[in-house]
Amino acid sequence: MNLPNTITFSRIILIIPILWCMYQSIEVYQWWAWGLFLIASLTDWLDGYLARRLNQVTDLGKFLDPLTDKILVIAPLLVLIERQIIPAWGVFLILLREITIAGWRVNPQQKNVSGANLWGKFKTVTQIGAIALLLLPKYPWALSTGIIVFWLSVILTMVSGLIYLMPSSNQH
């Protein structure tokens, strides 16, 4: 396993302490969850950068990176549902898009399967931004702003999915 793939895999490992910290009642653990989530999110950029820079783009990385992104986003969203901070149906729309696009990408009848387009990248950034804001433990403005960014991410998630599935978007 090369360095970029190792970094990608570290994101999966970081999800465990993020979730553990989210379930602790002491505020310092909420800050740890927030910090670890930001570190894990930044490694998404780092592994892609290194893969391209070091010419280490692999099929494993192409598979593992988007899967890891989805796990990193969905895991804290599920805890936020449980805390009744965000509604399950909003997260369901995100999951629906992610499962649909993942299935579309592995469809053997797809002749030209592509990676994320610019809309997909915007979607991921807003999802990460919403989660980061909603994980902040002490700031009321972060909660209200996080809810707004969450709904923006739901909209971008649906738009990016529709654009990805449109026949003319095969170029991505």
PDB file of all heavy atoms in Angstrom, residues 60-80:
ATOM      1  N   LEU A  60      -7.008   0.918  -6.257  1.00  0.00           N
ATOM      2  CA  LEU A  60      -7.423   0.838  -4.856  1.00  0.00           C
ATOM      3  C   LEU A  60      -7.761   2.232  -4.332  1.00  0.00           C
ATOM      4  O   LEU A  60      -8.780   2.426  -3.671  1.00  0.00           O
ATOM      5  CB  LEU A  60      -6.330   0.190  -3.991  1.00  0.00           C
ATOM      6  CG  LEU A  60      -6.612   0.165  -2.494  1.00  0.00           C
ATOM      7  CD1 LEU A  60      -7.853  -0.670  -2.186  1.00  0.00           C
ATOM      8  CD2 LEU A  60      -5.394  -0.349  -1.730  1.00  0.00           C
ATOM      9  N   GLY A  61      -6.923   3.195  -4.629  1.00  0.00           N
ATOM     10  CA  GLY A  61      -7.175   4.564  -4.182  1.00  0.00           C
ATOM     11  C   GLY A  61      -8.429   5.152  -4.795  1.00  0.00           C
ATOM     12  O   GLY A  61      -9.199   5.841  -4.116  1.00  0.00           O
ATOM     13  N   LYS A  62      -8.656   4.874  -6.081  1.00  0.00           N
ATOM     14  CA  LYS A  62      -9.866   5.366  -6.756  1.00  0.00           C
ATOM     15  C   LYS A  62     -11.123   4.779  -6.129  1.00  0.00           C
ATOM     16  O   LYS A  62     -12.173   5.404  -6.122  1.00  0.00           O
ATOM     17  CB  LYS A  62      -9.826   5.010  -8.237  1.00  0.00           C
ATOM     18  CG  LYS A  62      -8.817   5.802  -9.031  1.00  0.00           C
ATOM     19  CD  LYS A  62      -8.850   5.326 -10.477  1.00  0.00           C
ATOM     20  CE  LYS A  62      -7.725   5.884 -11.295  1.00  0.00           C
ATOM     21  NZ  LYS A  62      -7.725   5.341 -12.666  1.00  0.00           N
ATOM     22  N   PHE A  63     -11.016   3.563  -5.625  1.00  0.00           N
ATOM     23  CA  PHE A  63     -12.156   2.912  -4.965  1.00  0.00           C
ATOM     24  C   PHE A  63     -12.275   3.367  -3.509  1.00  0.00           C
ATOM     25  O   PHE A  63     -13.351   3.716  -3.039  1.00  0.00           O
ATOM     26  CB  PHE A  63     -11.985   1.390  -5.021  1.00  0.00           C
ATOM     27  CG  PHE A  63     -12.953   0.642  -4.157  1.00  0.00           C
ATOM     28  CD1 PHE A  63     -14.277   0.485  -4.551  1.00  0.00           C
ATOM     29  CD2 PHE A  63     -12.558   0.119  -2.939  1.00  0.00           C
ATOM     30  CE1 PHE A  63     -15.177  -0.188  -3.746  1.00  0.00           C
ATOM     31  CE2 PHE A  63     -13.450  -0.555  -2.123  1.00  0.00           C
ATOM     32  CZ  PHE A  63     -14.770  -0.706  -2.526  1.00  0.00           C
ATOM     33  N   LEU A  64     -11.141   3.351  -2.794  1.00  0.00           N
ATOM     34  CA  LEU A  64     -11.144   3.589  -1.355  1.00  0.00           C
ATOM     35  C   LEU A  64     -11.442   5.037  -0.993  1.00  0.00           C
ATOM     36  O   LEU A  64     -12.150   5.302  -0.018  1.00  0.00           O
ATOM     37  CB  LEU A  64      -9.785   3.160  -0.781  1.00  0.00           C
ATOM     38  CG  LEU A  64      -9.675   2.935   0.712  1.00  0.00           C
ATOM     39  CD1 LEU A  64     -10.675   1.900   1.188  1.00  0.00           C
ATOM     40  CD2 LEU A  64      -8.249   2.501   1.063  1.00  0.00           C
ATOM     41  N   ASP A  65     -10.938   5.994  -1.770  1.00  0.00           N
ATOM     42  CA  ASP A  65     -11.105   7.404  -1.417  1.00  0.00           C
ATOM     43  C   ASP A  65     -12.566   7.844  -1.356  1.00  0.00           C
ATOM     44  O   ASP A  65     -13.001   8.381  -0.338  1.00  0.00           O
ATOM     45  CB  ASP A  65     -10.296   8.289  -2.373  1.00  0.00           C
ATOM     46  CG  ASP A  65     -10.355   9.743  -1.963  1.00  0.00           C
ATOM     47  OD1 ASP A  65      -9.875  10.068  -0.859  1.00  0.00           O
ATOM     48  OD2 ASP A  65     -10.892  10.553  -2.736  1.00  0.00           O
ATOM     49  N   PRO A  66     -13.366   7.617  -2.411  1.00  0.00           N
ATOM     50  CA  PRO A  66     -14.769   8.053  -2.294  1.00  0.00           C
ATOM     51  C   PRO A  66     -15.558   7.265  -1.254  1.00  0.00           C
ATOM     52  O   PRO A  66     -16.441   7.814  -0.591  1.00  0.00           O
ATOM     53  CB  PRO A  66     -15.341   7.843  -3.698  1.00  0.00           C
ATOM     54  CG  PRO A  66     -14.367   7.017  -4.439  1.00  0.00           C
ATOM     55  CD  PRO A  66     -13.054   7.111  -3.741  1.00  0.00           C
ATOM     56  N   LEU A  67     -15.224   5.987  -1.080  1.00  0.00           N
ATOM     57  CA  LEU A  67     -15.886   5.189  -0.050  1.00  0.00           C
ATOM     58  C   LEU A  67     -15.584   5.759   1.339  1.00  0.00           C
ATOM     59  O   LEU A  67     -16.479   5.921   2.174  1.00  0.00           O
ATOM     60  CB  LEU A  67     -15.435   3.731  -0.138  1.00  0.00           C
ATOM     61  CG  LEU A  67     -15.982   2.791   0.929  1.00  0.00           C
ATOM     62  CD1 LEU A  67     -17.493   2.657   0.810  1.00  0.00           C
ATOM     63  CD2 LEU A  67     -15.313   1.427   0.812  1.00  0.00           C
ATOM     64  N   THR A  68     -14.333   6.094   1.562  1.00  0.00           N
ATOM     65  CA  THR A  68     -13.920   6.669   2.845  1.00  0.00           C
ATOM     66  C   THR A  68     -14.600   8.014   3.080  1.00  0.00           C
ATOM     67  O   THR A  68     -15.033   8.315   4.195  1.00  0.00           O
ATOM     68  CB  THR A  68     -12.388   6.816   2.880  1.00  0.00           C
ATOM     69  OG1 THR A  68     -11.809   5.532   2.666  1.00  0.00           O
ATOM     70  CG2 THR A  68     -11.910   7.355   4.208  1.00  0.00           C
ATOM     71  N   ASP A  69     -14.709   8.828   2.038  1.00  0.00           N
ATOM     72  CA  ASP A  69     -15.402  10.118   2.167  1.00  0.00           C
ATOM     73  C   ASP A  69     -16.830   9.911   2.651  1.00  0.00           C
ATOM     74  O   ASP A  69     -17.311  10.622   3.533  1.00  0.00           O
ATOM     75  CB  ASP A  69     -15.456  10.849   0.821  1.00  0.00           C
ATOM     76  CG  ASP A  69     -14.100  11.311   0.337  1.00  0.00           C
ATOM     77  OD1 ASP A  69     -13.154  11.314   1.131  1.00  0.00           O
ATOM     78  OD2 ASP A  69     -14.000  11.661  -0.855  1.00  0.00           O
ATOM     79  N   LYS A  70     -17.500   8.933   2.072  1.00  0.00           N
ATOM     80  CA  LYS A  70     -18.892   8.669   2.438  1.00  0.00           C
ATOM     81  C   LYS A  70     -19.004   8.202   3.892  1.00  0.00           C
ATOM     82  O   LYS A  70     -19.877   8.642   4.626  1.00  0.00           O
ATOM     83  CB  LYS A  70     -19.508   7.657   1.482  1.00  0.00           C
ATOM     84  CG  LYS A  70     -19.810   8.281   0.136  1.00  0.00           C
ATOM     85  CD  LYS A  70     -19.787   7.280  -0.974  1.00  0.00           C
ATOM     86  CE  LYS A  70     -19.859   7.897  -2.341  1.00  0.00           C
ATOM     87  NZ  LYS A  70     -19.000   9.026  -2.615  1.00  0.00           N
ATOM     88  N   ILE A  71     -18.098   7.334   4.315  1.00  0.00           N
ATOM     89  CA  ILE A  71     -18.105   6.860   5.701  1.00  0.00           C
ATOM     90  C   ILE A  71     -17.827   8.015   6.650  1.00  0.00           C
ATOM     91  O   ILE A  71     -18.494   8.164   7.681  1.00  0.00           O
ATOM     92  CB  ILE A  71     -17.089   5.714   5.895  1.00  0.00           C
ATOM     93  CG1 ILE A  71     -17.506   4.491   5.072  1.00  0.00           C
ATOM     94  CG2 ILE A  71     -16.944   5.351   7.374  1.00  0.00           C
ATOM     95  CD1 ILE A  71     -16.432   3.413   4.986  1.00  0.00           C
ATOM     96  N   LEU A  72     -16.852   8.852   6.299  1.00  0.00           N
ATOM     97  CA  LEU A  72     -16.495   9.992   7.150  1.00  0.00           C
ATOM     98  C   LEU A  72     -17.655  10.965   7.309  1.00  0.00           C
ATOM     99  O   LEU A  72     -17.833  11.562   8.365  1.00  0.00           O
ATOM    100  CB  LEU A  72     -15.274  10.719   6.575  1.00  0.00           C
ATOM    101  CG  LEU A  72     -14.788  11.931   7.364  1.00  0.00           C
ATOM    102  CD1 LEU A  72     -14.278  11.512   8.750  1.00  0.00           C
ATOM    103  CD2 LEU A  72     -13.697  12.663   6.590  1.00  0.00           C
ATOM    104  N   VAL A  73     -18.464  11.124   6.285  1.00  0.00           N
ATOM    105  CA  VAL A  73     -19.609  12.042   6.347  1.00  0.00           C
ATOM    106  C   VAL A  73     -20.807  11.384   7.036  1.00  0.00           C
ATOM    107  O   VAL A  73     -21.436  11.974   7.916  1.00  0.00           O
ATOM    108  CB  VAL A  73     -19.979  12.529   4.922  1.00  0.00           C
ATOM    109  CG1 VAL A  73     -21.345  13.191   4.895  1.00  0.00           C
ATOM    110  CG2 VAL A  73     -18.911  13.476   4.406  1.00  0.00           C
ATOM    111  N   ILE A  74     -21.119  10.158   6.661  1.00  0.00           N
ATOM    112  CA  ILE A  74     -22.334   9.510   7.167  1.00  0.00           C
ATOM    113  C   ILE A  74     -22.241   9.201   8.665  1.00  0.00           C
ATOM    114  O   ILE A  74     -23.219   9.387   9.399  1.00  0.00           O
ATOM    115  CB  ILE A  74     -22.651   8.233   6.361  1.00  0.00           C
ATOM    116  CG1 ILE A  74     -22.981   8.590   4.903  1.00  0.00           C
ATOM    117  CG2 ILE A  74     -23.777   7.435   6.995  1.00  0.00           C
ATOM    118  CD1 ILE A  74     -24.130   9.560   4.722  1.00  0.00           C
ATOM    119  N   ALA A  75     -21.095   8.754   9.137  1.00  0.00           N
ATOM    120  CA  ALA A  75     -20.970   8.360  10.554  1.00  0.00           C
ATOM    121  C   ALA A  75     -21.349   9.497  11.512  1.00  0.00           C
ATOM    122  O   ALA A  75     -22.229   9.308  12.363  1.00  0.00           O
ATOM    123  CB  ALA A  75     -19.569   7.818  10.834  1.00  0.00           C
ATOM    124  N   PRO A  76     -20.757  10.691  11.408  1.00  0.00           N
ATOM    125  CA  PRO A  76     -21.186  11.750  12.329  1.00  0.00           C
ATOM    126  C   PRO A  76     -22.610  12.238  12.073  1.00  0.00           C
ATOM    127  O   PRO A  76     -23.296  12.649  13.013  1.00  0.00           O
ATOM    128  CB  PRO A  76     -20.169  12.870  12.118  1.00  0.00           C
ATOM    129  CG  PRO A  76     -19.401  12.528  10.922  1.00  0.00           C
ATOM    130  CD  PRO A  76     -19.591  11.084  10.625  1.00  0.00           C
ATOM    131  N   LEU A  77     -23.067  12.181  10.805  1.00  0.00           N
ATOM    132  CA  LEU A  77     -24.453  12.580  10.543  1.00  0.00           C
ATOM    133  C   LEU A  77     -25.433  11.683  11.292  1.00  0.00           C
ATOM    134  O   LEU A  77     -26.456  12.162  11.794  1.00  0.00           O
ATOM    135  CB  LEU A  77     -24.753  12.555   9.041  1.00  0.00           C
ATOM    136  CG  LEU A  77     -24.133  13.658   8.189  1.00  0.00           C
ATOM    137  CD1 LEU A  77     -24.475  13.459   6.714  1.00  0.00           C
ATOM    138  CD2 LEU A  77     -24.538  15.038   8.670  1.00  0.00           C
ATOM    139  N   LEU A  78     -25.123  10.401  11.387  1.00  0.00           N
ATOM    140  CA  LEU A  78     -26.009   9.486  12.128  1.00  0.00           C
ATOM    141  C   LEU A  78     -26.072   9.850  13.610  1.00  0.00           C
ATOM    142  O   LEU A  78     -27.136   9.797  14.223  1.00  0.00           O
ATOM    143  CB  LEU A  78     -25.545   8.034  11.942  1.00  0.00           C
ATOM    144  CG  LEU A  78     -25.710   7.474  10.526  1.00  0.00           C
ATOM    145  CD1 LEU A  78     -25.106   6.078  10.432  1.00  0.00           C
ATOM    146  CD2 LEU A  78     -27.170   7.472  10.104  1.00  0.00           C
ATOM    147  N   VAL A  79     -24.938  10.242  14.183  1.00  0.00           N
ATOM    148  CA  VAL A  79     -24.941  10.672  15.586  1.00  0.00           C
ATOM    149  C   VAL A  79     -25.731  11.975  15.722  1.00  0.00           C
ATOM    150  O   VAL A  79     -26.475  12.154  16.697  1.00  0.00           O
ATOM    151  CB  VAL A  79     -23.503  10.829  16.130  1.00  0.00           C
ATOM    152  CG1 VAL A  79     -23.517  11.345  17.567  1.00  0.00           C
ATOM    153  CG2 VAL A  79     -22.746   9.504  16.054  1.00  0.00           C
ATOM    154  N   LEU A  80     -25.603  12.871  14.760  1.00  0.00           N
ATOM    155  CA  LEU A  80     -26.358  14.132  14.806  1.00  0.00           C
ATOM    156  C   LEU A  80     -27.862  13.895  14.673  1.00  0.00           C
ATOM    157  O   LEU A  80     -28.659  14.639  15.247  1.00  0.00           O
ATOM    158  CB  LEU A  80     -25.845  15.095  13.734  1.00  0.00           C
ATOM    159  CG  LEU A  80     -24.408  15.600  13.967  1.00  0.00           C
ATOM    160  CD1 LEU A  80     -23.877  16.313  12.726  1.00  0.00           C
ATOM    161  CD2 LEU A  80     -24.338  16.491  15.192  1.00  0.00           C
TER     162      LEU A  80
END
